[in-house]
Amino acid sequence: MNNQQAGYSCDEIPQNLLSTKQALDTLLGSVEATSKTNIYKLDDALNSVLAFDIYSDINVPDFDNSAMDGYAINLGPDKVNTPGGFSFDITDRIAAGSSGQELNTDCAARIFTGAPIPKGANTVIMQEECDLIDDDSKIEIFRPISLNENIRPKGNDIKSGDLILRSGKKLMPQDIALVASVGINKLEVRTKIKVGVFFTGDELIEPGDTINTGQIYNSNRYALVALLNNLGCEIINLGNIEDSLESTCKALKKLMNECDIIMTTGGVSVGEEDHVKPAVELLGKLSLWRIKMKPGKPLAFGKVGNAVFIGLPGNPVSAMVTFLLFARPLIKKMQGYSSYLNNTFKVRSSFDWNFSKARREFIRVKINNSTSPPTVTKYPKQGSDVLSSIVWADGLAEIPEKSTFSSGQILEYYPLKEMTL
Ligand code: AMP
Ligand code: MG
């Protein structure tokens, strides 16, 4: 994606305090789906996003066939739906993959599931309902017989010309099976979005290293790489960067012409140790947003070279929540998903909210699905540094700013399981 394709100017990005909706609308309004595609064999296409609508050139099945192992019968008009007790001569045997001869009136063909219905046959009776008689040369059936029993008609599943998959769909195993069933062996999918990541903070050390006072393990690095992997992105991970303007600029330069998105965590506050903001301003354009939400502010958004820049907050819960609420829909839109917004549903709070807050909160909650609507309970510690809260939680409940309520209030709920898959 280039500047023109991205189609926005950072001057148009609202500054200052934004609502979550304004922030998301602005982000989504400033990017388009990548126009790059690849052609993959079916085995390699899983989890990619389909670039074009797929139509079938054939009927599936392409011929009327038997839904059972049994006997195909040419049932004479006098025997339709009359009390049973008829016998039929067995004159043919048709296995799946072969085709039979024309069947005369009141004759039967031994037939197997998936085998073509022979000319003349007008119904199929399952073998358990047929008694073999006269040295297995005939069958007898003791029940009324209808026409078209156990026949799967041509085009039963798909008709030639049918639209079978829509562009913008993430390819699931069942989608791949469906295209295979109409004889297609390759699919054109959107090229994976390339995301460059790095992490700022001199306090950060790698898991596995010995920790000293003042240091913390870099968990955001692992959160982000895992989240991006689940979204099917290609990742260039520069790891932890020294907290200096020079190193930050160096990292940005490495990524800016190669990536569709550059994403960082930390260093976007306005403290003197926060170098991401000046570095992005030096090499591109940046708008520092204070979003009216908790956890989550500040979030930085801009453009460096050909890449969209997103600077997530450093606190681990804030980084993850802002990724899920903002970066995830943005990436899905750029990746070509036709449906890229997070799915939410209504839940009922099992807690009171006594103090009106200036910022919208996304609190970590557990869900009880045995009530209708489901009920949510909140984790006792909601600090943006409390990563255990998001592991304990099933989802995020959205609490509008300036609200107070008693237990029983209906809230919007974001399921974490779905968003982290
Ligand atoms: P910052 O936005 O850089 O001021 O960071 C805010 C808080 O998040 C500080 O307590 C940082 O130590 C913490 N933090 C920043 N980056 C990470 C990271 N990669 N992993 C875990 N915590 C981090
Ligand atoms: Mg920092």
Side-chain angles (χ1 to χ4, degrees):
M1 167 160 302
N2 59 34
N3 289 354
Q4 283 72 37
Q5 278 173 313
Y8 75 90
S9 115
C10 284
D11 301 335
E12 293 161 15
I13 299 169
Q15 308 286 323
N16 306 322
L17 264 182
L18 296 183
S19 70
T20 47
K21 184 174 180 323
Q22 283 173 315
L24 184 61
D25 287 350
T26 310
L27 276 174
L28 293 173
S30 62
V31 295
E32 282 173 12
T34 177
S35 52
K36 291 186 219 149
T37 62
N38 296 96
I39 294 177
Y40 285 160
K41 288 194 209 148
L42 297 192
D43 282 342
D44 302 325
L46 185 67
N47 293 331
S48 294
V49 178
L50 192 60
F52 294 97
D53 290 345
I54 305 288
Y55 292 86
S56 175
D57 283 341
I58 61 164
N59 292 296
V60 181
D62 212 19
F63 48 89
D64 294 352
N65 68 84
S66 176
M68 293 284 172
D69 289 344
Y71 293 86
I73 297 169
N74 183 338
L75 191 68
D78 54 316
K79 298 192 175 67
V80 175
N81 288 328
T82 56
F86 301 119
S87 65
F88 304 92
D89 289 335
I90 303 171
T91 57
D92 202 359
R93 183 179 190 281
I94 313 163
S98 63
S99 48
Q101 306 295 318
E102 181 165 356
L103 212 55
N104 293 327
T105 306
D106 294 334
C107 289
R110 176 78 172 117
I111 197 162
F112 298 88
T113 307
I117 303 297
K119 221 170 155 193
N122 50 19
T123 198
V124 172
I125 307 299
M126 62 197 276
Q127 61 194 22
E128 291 82 347
E129 293 179 310
C130 304
D131 293 331
L132 282 164
I133 55 169
D134 292 355
D135 287 338
D136 296 351
S137 65
K138 289 183 178 184
I139 48 165
E140 237 176 352
I141 298 167
F142 293 95
R143 69 154 172 86
I145 303 171
S146 305
L147 295 178
N148 295 316
E149 288 191 46
N150 301 311
I151 293 178
R152 301 190 287 211
K154 175 175 174 169
N156 187 40
D157 183 4
I158 295 163
K159 299 213 166 27
S160 177
D162 277 355
L163 172 64
I164 61 164
L165 287 181
R166 282 189 194 279
S167 162
K169 188 175 198 299
K170 177 179 170 176
L171 292 163
M172 312 289 283
Q174 55 272 39
D175 302 323
I176 293 183
L178 194 71
V179 292
S181 81
V182 303
I184 293 172
N185 66 349
K186 290 187 195 114
L187 288 171
E188 189 159 357
V189 301
R190 305 266 184 186
T191 303
K192 284 182 177 184
I193 291 294
K194 204 183 264 188
V195 185
V197 295
F198 63 89
F199 305 87
T200 72
D202 284 347
E203 71 278 30
L204 300 178
I205 57 164
E206 275 298 294
D209 291 351
T210 308
I211 196 160
N212 293 315
T213 310
Q215 294 183 317
I216 57 165
Y217 288 115
N218 184 351
S219 60
N220 288 346
R221 169 176 174 164
Y222 294 89
L224 226 56
V225 168
L227 287 162
L228 291 166
N229 267 323
N230 274 349
L231 279 176
C233 298
E234 192 179 328
I235 304 166
I236 302 180
N237 180 5
L238 301 185
N240 194 24
I241 298 294
E242 186 196 319
D243 248 346
S244 74
L245 185 62
E246 199 193 341
S247 318
T248 312
C249 284
K250 212 169 130 193
L252 288 172
K253 279 186 191 156
K254 255 191 209 160
L255 300 173
M256 60 195 252
N257 293 320
E258 214 187 315
C259 296
D260 300 296
I261 301 175
I262 299 174
M263 211 177 283
T264 61
T265 69
V268 286
S269 305
V270 279
E272 36 205 81
E273 294 299 326
D274 294 316
H275 301 288
V276 174
K277 182 177 182 280
V280 175
E281 280 170 340
L282 210 61
L283 298 171
K285 284 197 165 190
L286 181 96
S287 164
L288 191 63
W289 291 351
R290 286 181 303 133
I291 301 176
K292 285 185 280 183
M293 67 179 277
K294 195 178 162 198
K297 67 161 195 184
L299 182 77
F301 175 57
K303 186 109 200 185
V304 196
N306 291 331
V308 170
F309 175 81
I310 299 179
L312 301 173
N315 273 307
V317 178
S318 307
M320 201 138 177
V321 169
T322 47
F323 180 94
L324 295 173
L325 296 182
F326 300 109
R328 182 174 187 267
L330 176 100
I331 291 170
K332 288 182 78 175
K333 183 173 183 193
M334 290 176 78
Q335 190 59 79
Y337 280 79
S338 52
S339 157
Y340 46 79
L341 297 176
N342 288 319
N343 288 323
T344 61
F345 57 89
K346 307 279 183 213
V347 294
R348 196 182 287 281
S349 80
S350 66
F351 49 86
D352 301 334
W353 196 260
N354 293 324
F355 301 102
S356 158
K357 310 270 179 80
R359 291 190 277 157
R360 182 162 292 240
E361 294 211 18
F362 291 86
I363 61 168
R364 273 71 69 213
V365 294
K366 230 187 208 349
I367 196 162
N368 172 4
N369 283 307
S370 68
T371 63
S372 177
T375 318
V376 293
T377 321
K378 69 179 185 346
Y379 193 71
K381 289 187 197 166
Q382 293 285 337
S384 58
D385 55 330
V386 184
L387 204 46
S388 330
S389 68
I390 208 159
V391 173
W392 175 89
D394 299 308
L396 305 171
E398 181 172 359
I399 302 193
E401 55 274 35
K402 299 190 187 112
S403 63
T404 56
F405 54 82
S406 313
S407 155
Q409 175 75 19
I410 298 295
L411 300 170
E412 209 65 34
Y413 174 83
Y414 293 73
L416 274 172
K417 196 172 168 191
E418 183 181 314
M419 291 198 291
T420 50
L421 264 186

